[in-house]
């Protein structure tokens, strides 16, 4: 099925859905007006309303199904935005139709309708509804939204602070219970954060005190700091370990979850990697997180059927794609497979941001390491910064030969 036919089908389905919504809303309003005038019993009006709502619900499901299967375009980062576009539009079309019906009813009967109290109010309500519907259409229909704005929505959605992201890697637990560590990003006093590592894994805490250079601070950007986290509501003091990472980013570290990958602990550990090259405990924690992570990676696909409306897809082998490659500064002839911990780091890759044929796939470490069989010489995490981490073919082989790795991944696959 060609692109034009698919797009025509999607647009026609949306038009039909809007028409059905309009009819159902008019039936509902008419039924309750007639019930109020005594021309229809209340139970009968309830049956009509229930049937109309059921039809609208089925129509909604059908539109979502068609959108996911046939919609073409630049792609949308999050499936929740993708699924909500046409349903939102049809709901607003229904609102406009309801106001129109109220205006006609008021004009013809002289009675007070459900949505207006006078002939002067109805046009104002109608104008607001039309403007709102048009605005929502532009907001939800992805052809009008640049990719950088789509990505910005995802970054805000997964961050407790919306417009800011930070990680705080714990270097030392001080005697008074405060934590000394390194901030990457912008940390404010009063911020909430998730705990990654230690006994309080994924617990949500609040940073009540913040110090930088021995003085109280309102915020710290990319530097050393000391933070204090009070006891929780049950009077239990949090327990942390060295190299625990606190971040206002919610971890999304498994596939098929709204096509998003977030690895805040990996990001936090990489921010201080250079200072811990000889620290075996630190390296063990970093490698553990890396082999359990899920990553975004860039690809290109000339097949128009591959992009069903999302710029990201979970790695399932259903499409023929060409993966991107980068070179290393030490050897320009060496081809390395790039992966990214989150959308913030992937957005630094100009190929993905500018090429409409580019898309992003989500894969785990095991799938990424299999790319070495396709001619790549290694893997690099976040190649365009802020903290790139290179894994050579030899290093990956040594990781996969570890007893713990073999027991968890290789032997597990063999038993399955």
């Amino acid at each position: 099925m060609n692109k034009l036919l698919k797009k025509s089908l999607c647009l026609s389905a949306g038009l039909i859905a809007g028409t059905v919504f309009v009819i159902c809303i008019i039936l509902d309003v008419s039924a309750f007006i007639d019930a109020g005038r005594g021309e229809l019993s209340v139970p009968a009006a309830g049956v009509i309303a229930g049937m109309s709502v059921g039809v609208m619900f089925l129509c909604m499901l059908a539109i979502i199904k068609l959108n996911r299967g046939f919609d073409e375009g630049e792609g949308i980062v999050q499936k929740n935005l993708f699924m909500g576009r046409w349903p939102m539009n049809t709901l607003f079309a229904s609102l406009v139709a309801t106001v129109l019906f109220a205006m006609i009813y008021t004009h013809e009967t002289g009675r007070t309708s459900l949505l207006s109290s006078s002939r002067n109010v109805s046009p104002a309500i109608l104008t607001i509804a039309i403007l709102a519907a048009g605005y929502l259409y532009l907001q939800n229909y992805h052809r009008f939204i640049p990719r950088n704005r789509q990505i910005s929505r995802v970054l805000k959605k997964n961050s407790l602070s919306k417009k800011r992201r930070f990680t705080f890697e714990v270097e030392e637990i001080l005697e008074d219970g405060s934590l000394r560590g390194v901030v990457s990003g912008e940390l404010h006093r009063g911020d909430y954060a998730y705990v990654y590592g230690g006994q309080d894994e994924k617990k949500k805490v609040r940073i009540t005190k913040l110090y930088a250079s021995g003085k109280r601070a309102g915020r710290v950007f990319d530097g050393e700091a000391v933070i204090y986290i009070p006891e929780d509501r049950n009077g239990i003091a949090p327990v942390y370990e060295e190299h625990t990472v606190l971040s206002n980013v919610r971890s999304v570290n498994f596939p098929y979850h709204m096509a998003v990958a977030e690895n805040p602990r990996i990001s936090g550990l990489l921010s201080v990697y250079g200072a811990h090259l000889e620290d075996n405990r630190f390296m063990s924690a970093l490698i553990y997180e890396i082999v359990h992570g899920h990553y975004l990676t860039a690809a290109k696909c000339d097949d128009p059927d591959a992009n069903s409306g999302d710029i990201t897809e979970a790695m399932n082998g259903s499409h023929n794609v060409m993966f991107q490659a980068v070179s290393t500064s030490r050897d320009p002839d060496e081809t390395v497979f790039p992966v990214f911990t989150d959308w913030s780091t992937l957005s630094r890759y100009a190929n993905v941001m500018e090429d409409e044929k580019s898309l992003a796939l989500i894969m785990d470490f095991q799938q990424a390491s299999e790319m070495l069989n396709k001619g790549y010489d290694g893997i690099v995490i976040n190649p365009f910064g802020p903290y790139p981490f290179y894994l050579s073919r030899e290093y990956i082989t040594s990781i996969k030969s570890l007893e713990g790795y073999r027991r968890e991944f290789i032997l597990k696959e063999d038993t399955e």
Side-chain angles (χ1 to χ4, degrees):
M1 189 180 295
N2 62 39
K3 182 175 181 179
L4 179 59
L5 183 58
K6 287 183 178 181
K7 196 63 184 177
S8 299
L9 177 59
C10 186
L11 291 172
S12 299
L15 180 61
I16 294 171
T19 303
V20 172
F21 268 66
V22 167
I23 294 173
C24 290
I25 290 292
I26 290 177
L27 283 174
D28 286 344
V29 175
S30 299
F32 282 107
I33 289 177
D34 289 343
R37 297 168 60 182
E39 298 177 2
L40 186 68
S41 66
V42 174
V47 171
I48 293 174
M51 293 178 62
S52 299
V53 170
V55 170
M56 287 190 287
F57 180 73
L58 293 175
C59 183
M60 185 89 71
L61 294 179
I63 291 302
I64 291 173
K65 176 70 174 178
L66 288 172
N67 274 337
R68 296 194 59 161
F70 301 116
D71 194 10
E72 291 288 333
E74 294 180 3
I76 281 189
V77 174
Q78 287 235 74
K79 289 179 185 273
N80 66 330
L81 298 177
F82 170 65
M83 292 172 61
R85 185 173 62 254
W86 275 114
M88 284 290 191
N89 294 335
T90 51
L91 285 174
F92 265 83
S94 303
L95 173 62
V96 174
T98 302
V99 177
L100 279 170
F101 180 81
M103 289 177 60
I104 295 171
Y105 178 80
T106 303
H107 183 270
E108 295 296 328
T109 65
R111 294 174 179 267
T112 299
S113 73
L114 295 179
L115 296 179
S116 65
S117 57
S118 70
R119 298 178 185 180
N120 295 328
V121 175
S122 293
I125 297 177
L126 175 63
T127 301
I128 293 172
I130 291 176
L131 292 176
Y135 176 78
L136 191 73
Y137 181 84
L138 294 176
Q139 290 294 308
N140 282 281
Y141 193 63
H142 57 83
R143 278 189 174 277
F144 298 98
I145 306 176
R147 285 190 173 188
N148 59 346
R149 187 173 176 186
Q150 296 174 32
I151 294 171
S152 177
R153 287 184 174 185
V154 180
L155 296 177
K156 291 179 181 179
K157 183 177 181 63
N158 289 314
S159 172
L160 293 173
S161 305
K162 303 302 181 186
K163 296 183 179 180
R164 294 183 292 107
R165 289 186 159 214
F166 70 81
T167 61
F168 178 87
E169 188 268 343
V170 178
E171 292 282 293
E172 181 183 4
I173 297 91
L174 303 179
E175 293 182 358
D176 61 355
S178 58
L179 308 174
R180 182 183 66 82
V182 179
V183 177
S184 176
E186 186 176 347
L187 169 63
H188 289 195
R189 183 177 67 248
D191 278 345
Y192 286 91
Y194 297 106
V195 179
Y196 299 107
Q199 298 181 19
D200 294 313
E201 179 73 21
K202 295 185 179 179
K203 182 177 181 180
K204 186 177 178 181
V205 297
R206 186 167 185 261
I207 299 168
T208 57
K209 298 179 183 179
L210 177 63
Y211 299 88
S213 302
K215 301 179 181 178
R216 297 195 66 169
R219 64 178 181 175
V220 173
F221 183 81
D222 286 345
E224 293 188 358
V226 174
I227 64 173
Y228 178 77
I229 300 171
E231 298 177 346
D232 60 19
R233 295 178 180 178
N234 299 320
I236 301 175
V239 179
Y240 301 100
E241 300 175 356
E242 288 185 8
H243 311 313
T244 294
V245 171
L246 285 77
S247 176
N248 62 346
V249 178
R250 179 173 57 90
S251 176
V252 183
N253 206 4
F254 50 92
Y256 312 114
H257 182 87
M258 298 170 65
V260 177
E262 295 281 5
N263 300 272
R265 194 181 187 200
I266 295 177
S267 300
L269 294 176
L270 289 180
S271 69
V272 296
Y273 163 72
H276 296 281
L277 292 174
E278 306 300 326
D279 186 340
N280 291 333
R281 184 177 178 184
F282 175 89
M283 292 304 300
S284 295
L286 176 59
I287 296 304
Y288 178 87
E289 293 296 328
I290 287 175
V291 300
H292 288 86
H294 285 83
Y295 305 92
L296 291 163
T297 188
K300 183 179 291 187
C301 186
D302 292 323
D303 180 8
D305 293 334
N307 189 350
S308 61
D310 291 318
I311 193 174
T312 58
E313 293 290 343
M315 187 70 172
N316 56 21
S318 62
H319 304 312
N320 294 320
V321 298
M322 296 175 289
F323 288 99
Q324 308 279 14
V326 297
S327 58
T328 61
S329 57
R330 64 180 185 180
D331 186 357
D333 296 327
E334 190 176 44
T335 57
V336 182
F337 184 63
V339 296
F340 303 85
T341 54
D342 51 56
W343 271 103
S344 176
T345 53
L346 181 60
S347 64
R348 297 168 179 252
Y349 197 4
N351 287 14
V352 174
M353 299 301 296
E354 297 173 1
D355 191 345
E356 292 185 2
K357 294 183 179 180
S358 294
L359 65 156
L361 300 174
I362 296 178
M363 57 172 60
D364 57 27
F365 176 80
Q366 290 68 46
Q367 292 168 321
S369 64
E370 291 299 318
M371 298 302 295
L372 299 181
N373 299 329
K374 299 183 182 295
Y376 291 93
D377 299 306
I379 296 173
V380 59
I381 301 174
N382 299 340
F384 305 103
Y387 307 103
F389 184 74
Y390 174 63
L391 295 95
S392 66
R393 178 185 293 271
E394 295 76 16
Y395 195 29
I396 294 172
T397 301
S398 67
I399 292 174
K400 299 179 76 170
S401 65
L402 294 173
E403 181 181 351
Y405 184 94
R406 291 179 56 82
R407 183 170 57 250
E408 182 171 356
F409 297 105
I410 299 177
L411 297 180
K412 181 180 178 180
E413 291 178 359
D414 293 340
T415 56
E416 293 177 350

